[in-house]
């Protein structure tokens, strides 16, 4: 991964179907990299440690997964938006025997990711090029434990991956105990987030949000994680797990979530 010149790693830039991918070494960390897609940081990778998740929202997702499913349980997962497959690598290492499908609209990016990184091979991890809005409909009903939506066009989620049709298809593919985790770029006045939460609530019986406390107080903007399920979400267990993480986060649900989004009665 990367080229050595004068004893240091050099970045790699390559054309992909949707623009440009750049693999940038992390200073002082010889086997850590950040993948940028069209100048947007998309995945952190540490070659020697697949369980390291340097983006805070990915760490939050991992902790919610661990709080929801028994330790060591292998999962069937679909990832809408693959990038460098940081979370699939984590899940494969954390829960051996899991079967995952990572879907990305950019076929060339998937080829490069396979070339650059030591990813699990099928059936542990299948890379599938395609439009996630369609591909989610191809999974058998109640066949998935986990759907992760982490796909962006620039810094925004494509509309077809945030509409009621996508959430309905995700709910159909999930088992009753399954989870949908969605990465959302949140910024005041939260209009896109409010609309997305409303659509999630129209489909799923239980919805929660994971956010940095500074975001909750309106002092910063960044990524938040929406959590949705047909069954109850262990918000207390997730909150406890998140307090132990390197980037502390708050879990909001019910009236707390309404107040954060400004939709309380």
């Amino acid at each position: 991964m990367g080229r050595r010149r004068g004893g240091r790693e050099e970045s790699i830039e390559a054309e992909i179907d949707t623009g440009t991918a750049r693999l940038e070494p992390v200073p002082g960390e010889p086997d850590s990299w950040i993948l940028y897609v069209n100048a947007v940081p998309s995945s952190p990778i540490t070659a020697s440690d697949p369980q390291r998740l340097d983006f805070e929202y990915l760490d939050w997702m991992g902790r919610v997964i661990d709080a929801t499913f028994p330790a060591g349980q292998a999962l069937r997962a679909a990832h809408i938006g693959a990038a460098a497959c940081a979370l699939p690598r984590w899940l494969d290492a954390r829960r051996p025997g899991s079967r995952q499908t990572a879907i990305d609209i950019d076929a060339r990016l998937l080829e490069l990711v396979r070339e650059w990184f030591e990813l699990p091979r099928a059936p542990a991890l299948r890379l599938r090029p395609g439009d996630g809005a369609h591909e989610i409909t191809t999974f058998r009903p109640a066949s998935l434990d986990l759907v992760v939506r982490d796909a962006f066009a620039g810094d925004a989620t494509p509309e077809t991956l945030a509409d009621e049709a996508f959430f309905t298809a995700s709910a159909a593919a999930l088992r009753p105990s399954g989870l949908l985790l969605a990465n959302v770029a949140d910024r005041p006045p939260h209009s896109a987030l409010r609309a997305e939460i409303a659509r999630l609530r129209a489909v799923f019986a239980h919805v929660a949000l994971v956010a940095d406390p500074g975001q909750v107080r309106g002092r910063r903007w960044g990524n938040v994680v929406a959590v949705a399920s047909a069954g109850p979400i262990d918000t207390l267990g997730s909150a406890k797990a998140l307090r132990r993480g390197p980037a502390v986060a708050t879990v909001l649900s019910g009236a707390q979530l309404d107040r954060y989004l400004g939709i309380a009665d």
Side-chain angles (χ1 to χ4, degrees):
M1 296 183 300
R3 296 183 293 268
R4 284 196 175 274
R5 182 177 300 167
R8 69 185 181 89
E9 296 287 354
E10 299 290 341
S11 63
I12 298 174
E13 189 165 290
E15 291 185 4
I16 55 176
D17 295 337
T18 58
T20 303
R22 188 174 85 255
L23 194 58
E24 194 73 32
V26 176
E29 306 232 11
D31 66 345
S32 292
W33 304 77
I34 302 294
L35 173 67
Y36 291 79
V37 177
N38 296 321
V40 177
S42 298
S43 279
I45 289 287
T46 297
S48 62
D49 186 2
Q51 294 194 58
R52 176 174 161 180
L53 295 172
D54 286 343
F55 287 2
E56 59 185 27
Y57 82 87
L58 288 173
D59 179 75
W60 298 343
M61 285 182 173
R63 291 176 186 278
V64 171
I65 291 168
D66 276 350
T68 300
F69 301 101
Q73 177 184 331
L75 302 179
R76 179 71 179 99
H79 303 261
I80 309 300
C85 294
L87 195 64
R89 288 179 78 241
W90 174 90
L91 191 63
D92 181 76
R94 189 83 168 174
R95 296 171 177 270
S98 294
R99 292 185 301 119
Q100 304 181 76
T101 305
I103 297 161
D104 202 285
I105 200 166
D106 197 307
R108 179 55 181 157
L109 178 61
L110 292 179
E111 292 175 357
L112 289 171
V113 166
R114 272 285 186 214
E115 176 186 327
W116 288 340
F117 305 117
E118 294 183 7
L119 300 181
R121 292 288 176 177
L125 176 60
R126 300 181 188 274
L127 301 186
R128 183 191 301 178
D131 182 346
H134 167 72
E135 296 298 331
I136 192 62
T137 68
T138 66
F139 291 92
R140 289 183 293 106
S143 63
L144 299 177
D145 299 297
L146 182 66
V147 173
V148 178
R149 191 211 66 199
D150 188 10
F152 288 86
D155 65 353
T157 302
E159 291 183 6
T160 56
L161 297 180
D163 62 17
E164 195 166 325
F166 174 78
F167 294 141
T168 299
S170 297
L174 283 165
R175 298 183 174 114
S177 60
L179 280 185
L180 168 69
L181 300 177
N183 178 18
V184 185
D186 179 40
R187 53 176 58 82
H190 311 302
S191 53
L193 179 61
R194 281 199 302 270
E196 191 158 338
I197 293 297
R199 289 191 289 270
L200 281 167
R201 283 174 163 173
V203 174
F204 291 92
H206 302 273
V207 177
L209 198 69
V210 178
D212 179 279
Q215 289 172 291
V216 176
R217 293 189 293 269
R219 295 176 183 172
R220 57 165 291 190
W221 67 271
N223 297 86
V224 299
V225 175
V227 185
S229 180
I233 297 169
D234 185 359
T235 54
L236 291 178
S238 293
K240 183 178 179 180
L242 289 161
R243 284 197 295 271
R244 296 194 295 265
V248 177
T250 298
V251 182
L252 304 175
S253 62
Q256 284 185 316
L257 178 55
D258 287 343
R259 284 195 292 273
Y260 174 58
L261 297 174
I263 54 178
D265 293 335

